[in-house]
Amino acid sequence: MKRLGCFDSYLIAHFAAHPAPPAIEELAAQFLASLAEHDHPLLRAVAQLELFSVESAQSSAHAITLVWDRDPQAAMLALDRFQPLPNPTAGVRYRLRLSPNQPASCLRESWFET
C-alpha cells in the first residue's frame, strides 16, 4: 500500500469506519479483509494472500482462488526485493489457487473485455 501511495489515507478511513478489535491478530485480519473489494487489483490480491497466510497460521484457512492482473510470482518477488512492480499483463489473468493442504497452483488464462 505504501508503494502505491494509499496506505495512510486508507488506514485513516478504515479506523474511522471500524473500531479496533482487542487482539492484534483480529486487527490484522479485519484490516486485510477490508481490502477484499479494493479497486486496485494488485493490492486486493496481495491482501487476500496475506489474509490466507494469517488464517493458515491459525488453522482456520480454507481453499481460495486469487485473481491477479500480473504474474503473482514476479509481483511478490518485486515486493520482497523492493524492486519496481511488474506491469499488468494485458489480456491475461492469473488464477492462483491456495489450499492449506495442497501445493499452490497458478493458471494463466487469456481473456478479452467486451
Side-chain angles (χ1 to χ4, degrees), residues 21-40:
I24 190 70
E25 295 82 6
E26 291 175 51
L27 176 65
Q30 178 194 71
F31 183 73
L32 292 169
S34 75
L35 295 166
E37 301 300 322
H38 197 279
D39 291 339
H40 198 286

Side-chain angles (χ1 to χ4, degrees), residues 70-86:
R70 61 200 83 201
D71 181 348
Q73 184 176 359
M76 293 305 295
L77 191 59
L79 287 168
D80 185 53
R81 294 182 177 173
F82 300 98
Q83 295 175 339
L85 294 169

Side-chain angles (χ1 to χ4, degrees), residues 47-89:
Q48 290 172 325
L49 177 64
E50 288 185 17
L51 183 58
F52 177 82
S53 298
V54 168
E55 291 174 347
S56 291
Q58 299 169 354
S59 300
S60 60
H62 57 281
I64 61 170
T65 300
L66 307 178
V67 178
W68 295 70
D69 66 346
R70 61 200 83 201
D71 181 348
Q73 184 176 359
M76 293 305 295
L77 191 59
L79 287 168
D80 185 53
R81 294 182 177 173
F82 300 98
Q83 295 175 339
L85 294 169
N87 291 323
T89 309

Side-chain angles (χ1 to χ4, degrees), residues 8-21 27 30-31 34:
D8 293 334
S9 61
Y10 190 85
L11 192 64
I12 291 166
H14 175 78
F15 286 114
H18 302 92
L27 176 65
Q30 178 194 71
F31 183 73
S34 75

